[in-house]
Amino acid sequence: MAKFTIVDQDTCIACGACALHAPNLYDYNTEGVAYAILDNNSGTKPIPEAEEDNALEAEFNCPSLSIKIADHPFHGDPHH
């Protein structure tokens, strides 16, 4: 089953954990806040299967719980 990811930018503390564990999935915008690279943080494009373990590692290591992963698209809303 496809998994989707998004960063809750309201709670992100820009610690670097997500980019460390999944550099192909997460980066930082000009304000220094993390975002999901796949779809410009809309959470609508499935995580490539080869990157799923890295995404889960990033989610697990995010101290602010800002990395969200689900079995459904987020449509831009990390609380969806």
Side-chain angles (χ1 to χ4, degrees):
M1 175 175 270
K3 295 201 178 297
F4 300 84
T5 187
I6 194 169
V7 177
D8 184 341
Q9 295 183 317
D10 292 334
T11 60
C12 175
I13 60 170
C15 71
C18 60
L20 175 67
H21 293 285
N24 294 327
L25 298 176
Y26 306 103
D27 201 358
Y28 294 90
N29 63 22
T30 55
E31 288 83 39
V33 177
Y35 73 98
I37 297 169
L38 293 172
D39 48 25
N40 201 28
N41 210 52
S42 68
T44 56
K45 187 172 179 186
I47 299 169
E49 193 172 323
E51 292 288 337
E52 281 186 12
D53 287 345
N54 293 337
L56 292 170
E57 195 68 24
E59 178 189 40
F60 178 79
N61 285 285
C62 179
S64 61
L65 307 176
S66 299
I67 303 299
K68 308 295 182 184
I69 297 175
D71 294 334
H72 59 273
F74 289 93
H75 302 291
D77 181 0
H79 307 288
H80 178 67

